[in-house]
Amino acid sequence: MVTMRDVAAEAGVSAMTVSNALTGRRPVSEPTRKLVLETVERLGYQVNVTARSLRQGRTGVVGIAVPTLDSHYYSRLSHLLIQAFAESGTASVVEETHASREGEIAAFRDSRLNAYDGLVIAALGLTEREIDALSRDVPVVVLGEQELHHTVDHVSMPNVAGAEAATRLLLDRGCRDLALVGFPSLDDRDELTQPEGAAFALRARGFSRALQGTGVSARAVHAGVTQAAGAQCVQDLLATGGVPDGVFCVTDTLAFGVVRELANHGVRVPDDVLVVGFDDVEDAQFHIPSLTSVAPDLDELIARTVHLLRQRIADPGTRPHEVTVSYRLVERESTRRPGR
Amino acid sequence: MVTMRDVAAEAGVSAMTVSNALTGRRPVSEPTRKLVLETVERLGYQVNVTARSLRQGRTGVVGIAVPTLDSHYYSRLSHLLIQAFAESGTASVVEETHASREGEIAAFRDSRLNAYDGLVIAALGLTEREIDALSRDVPVVVLGEQELHHTVDHVSMPNVAGAEAATRLLLDRGCRDLALVGFPSLDDRDELTQPEGAAFALRARGFSRALQGTGVSARAVHAGVTQAAGAQCVQDLLATGGVPDGVFCVTDTLAFGVVRELANHGVRVPDDVLVVGFDDVEDAQFHIPSLTSVAPDLDELIARTVHLLRQRIADPGTRPHEVTVSYRLVERESTRRPGR
DNA sequence: CTGAAAGCGCTTACAG
DNA sequence: CTGAAAGCGCTTACAG
């Protein structure tokens, strides 16, 4: 392997000068600079980032820790974060936490070990207290859903407001027998063993708020977070009280499973039941029927996240920020009642 | 930060002994080992992986380079690879190449710089010759579609055979006016500027092979790789010769766009047109209609890839392997002609 | 079983 | 503008 020393010897300068010519950290005379760069080119030298990192105490890489990449939402989020960091000149790598406490602790540990200069984490398994403690050593932005003690930068989704708006739409369209799919109870204090618990509890709270004082009946079902889980929820609804006339799903993924399983039972959307999802993943526009969904402003989410992390890396002392991004309710076929 | 020296001083041993107690590389007497581990625990010491990597010349991390994470197929593939490497005790990080030559070169460079001990790359932008040259310095397994010179380990999809089987199904179901969606020509030698060119050309070849000697007419359309591109292809078909009676799409993603846009024009699947996709992403089962698709054996793909890379890291001298995984054709509603 | 010395390849601080 | 020395925190030889 060609090292900086080899280049220096070949060019007849010191390693320092090679380093300076390459990084531009200190000025180098133009002829020397040209000579060095030519030699670098000729020998095919490439800087050893491990050595640089050890010396500098930082790697120039930020970590992105998400529960899983096997999810339309989190894979897209990771993609957008990578893009945005790249545009601001920062390399990033993605790590899966499997939504587990252990996986999330590992992400913090990897950051602290100089592997990353900063961390964006969609934390689902850790408690607020644990995040507070772990984030002391590492510049971190927490994405998502927890209600933290304001000791760490936090960018969250419009869970309550978005869910409330979605549910209001169902009420406005005349629904009087609603179902909440994806959270086991209408009381958001009920704990959910699923790690997405906190986010989904807030969406359940929005659902319940919209119902307050309306006298509209509602049931809650939960079977997991996948499309198959959405299908299972429909079976549970059918078994326990028949078909509702409106369904709010805490994610689009669940909604796709719901619509599909309703079709398996001959129940049509929107003719017989109206359905709304949350996240507005790309597929929502392409399904048949296309899916009405709460669309959080991902551009805002990404921009704020990248900005906050860069700021915290640059100045770890700044006061933590709390951001909730805005949303739009995008109405599509799944809530357009034909002929009413 | 607590270093190994601190632990050594505190425990009254040498740094060597701390290292050995931690790694188990050399035997350490049981009392000493206990003392060291206790001290490590008490001081909260964590090994600095950057320093270890610099000294060892390797990081214990493998790179996974995919075109984008904003894709059902590649995000799922990344997820499965991460899982499989984790199960075999190997950490991995994901990098996006944006399907560009530059991005793929960067992935090789990052590997060579000691950032990764090995690389799995879904290469789309590089030529065969470039891959041959770049892979000389790095243990690498190429995923996907290129027909290489057998100088590098290569795991590929059943592109030709899968596409041929999919097209045969359409013919068996009585289709006599076919369309190929996702490749611009029926001649697989035609270059596609899209980086997925090589894979899609092979799928086009399978399509053409199935047609040979049947006298069945066929058109080819191409507008990109997204669901929106699939929709665009339908518009192009309608403008240039009307609705075909069978469509083979080179990916499921395109197929979803096709089915959706057909519905926008009042054309029903499978009543008026049969549609088949490729990849068998999870959504294929949940769309309405559910999508018939070629399902490459991803478990096999993952297992072979992980095994080949570990083998090549352990012994860079072994002869390169060429693997094409098997597939199943999964028939669903999109090709079940009602009442015929 | 244990240790003192050297060095992985850079960059920082000190000098000129 | 340029360089010699030191050191980031480990692990690899070499010794005992």
Side-chain angles (χ1 to χ4, degrees), chain B residues 14 16-17 26-29 32 54-55:
Chain B
S14 72
M16 270 272 36
T17 298
R26 290 198 317 192
V28 174
S29 77
T32 307
L54 176 60
R55 185 61 248 228

Side-chain angles (χ1 to χ4, degrees), chain B residues 53 161 187 328:
Chain B
S53 298
D187 183 343
R328 289 180 310 127

Side-chain angles (χ1 to χ4, degrees), chain B residues 33-329:
Chain B
R33 208 181 64 85
K34 275 189 70 172
L35 172 63
V36 169
L37 296 184
E38 271 170 29
T39 310
V40 163
E41 189 71 23
R42 186 154 50 81
L43 301 187
Y45 170 72
Q46 294 179 312
V47 68
N48 180 319
V49 284
T50 304
R52 171 182 284 176
S53 298
L54 176 60
R55 185 61 248 228
Q56 292 192 143
R58 54 194 176 73
T59 57
V61 176
V62 303
I64 298 170
V66 294
T68 177
L69 285 173
D70 194 20
S71 142
H72 295 179
Y73 176 68
Y74 284 116
S75 60
R76 178 162 172 75
L77 186 72
S78 303
H79 168 75
L80 292 174
L81 280 170
I82 293 171
Q83 299 271 63
F85 277 118
E87 275 163 26
S88 74
T90 307
S92 56
V93 298
V94 179
E95 199 168 310
E96 285 186 336
T97 63
H98 311 292
S100 71
R101 199 172 154 278
E102 295 69 37
E104 294 173 5
I105 289 174
F108 276 99
R109 186 200 54 216
D110 291 351
S111 307
R112 218 174 309 109
L113 299 180
N114 282 354
Y116 314 137
D117 293 346
L119 179 67
V120 175
I121 183 167
L124 303 174
L126 292 169
T127 66
E128 301 178 15
R129 202 173 303 276
E130 289 173 318
I131 292 178
D132 289 356
L134 287 166
S135 60
R136 230 152 257 161
D137 304 331
V138 185
V140 61
V141 173
V142 175
L143 280 193
E145 337 300 1
Q146 314 234 3
E147 297 183 314
L148 299 171
H149 299 132
H150 303 271
T151 61
V152 62
D153 288 315
H154 185 214
V155 180
S156 66
M157 302 273 276
N159 289 309
V160 179
E164 190 171 352
T167 311
R168 285 245 166 77
L169 177 71
L170 293 174
L171 295 172
D172 289 349
R173 293 285 172 281
C175 298
R176 287 299 172 264
D177 179 20
L178 292 188
L180 168 66
V181 165
F183 195 74
S185 148
L186 295 176
D187 183 343
D188 66 55
R189 284 162 306 189
D190 283 3
E191 267 307 315
L192 177 55
T193 51
Q194 282 309 119
E196 284 83 354
F200 293 177
L202 294 174
R203 293 178 194 179
R205 182 185 299 175
F207 178 82
S208 297
R209 277 202 191 159
L211 259 54
Q212 262 167 28
T214 62
V216 166
S217 63
R219 289 171 283 165
V221 280
H222 174 262
V225 299
T226 61
Q227 301 188 67
Q232 179 61 50
C233 284
V234 167
Q235 294 184 20
D236 294 350
L237 286 171
L238 293 179
T240 61
V243 184
D245 60 10
V247 181
F248 169 61
C249 304
V250 299
T251 69
D252 288 351
T253 298
L254 285 166
F256 297 142
V258 164
V259 173
R260 176 68 239 191
E261 185 67 9
L262 286 170
N264 291 351
H265 292 274
V267 181
R268 292 161 306 168
V269 177
D271 310 62
D272 306 318
V273 190
L274 305 189
V275 176
V276 187
F278 199 113
D279 285 340
D280 194 33
V281 298
E282 195 199 8
D283 301 73
Q285 338 171 20
F286 288 96
H287 269 256
I288 300 174
S290 56
L291 181 68
T292 296
S293 187
V294 178
D297 189 334
L298 280 194
D299 290 340
E300 186 187 352
L301 179 83
I302 299 299
R304 300 296 290 266
T305 300
V306 169
H307 181 73
L308 284 174
L309 188 62
R310 291 172 60 81
Q311 198 170 284
R312 181 143 308 276
I313 291 172
D315 178 6
T318 49
R319 194 175 52 76
H321 289 258
E322 195 75 17
V323 175
T324 300
V325 302
S326 56
Y327 71 93
R328 289 180 310 127
L329 181 58

Side-chain angles (χ1 to χ4, degrees), chain A residues 48-59 114, chain B residues 1 48-55:
Chain A
N48 180 319
V49 284
T50 305
R52 173 181 283 177
S53 297
L54 176 59
R55 185 61 248 230
Q56 292 193 145
R58 55 193 175 73
T59 58
N114 281 356
Chain B
M1 196 170 56
N48 180 319
V49 284
T50 304
R52 171 182 284 176
S53 298
L54 176 60
R55 185 61 248 228

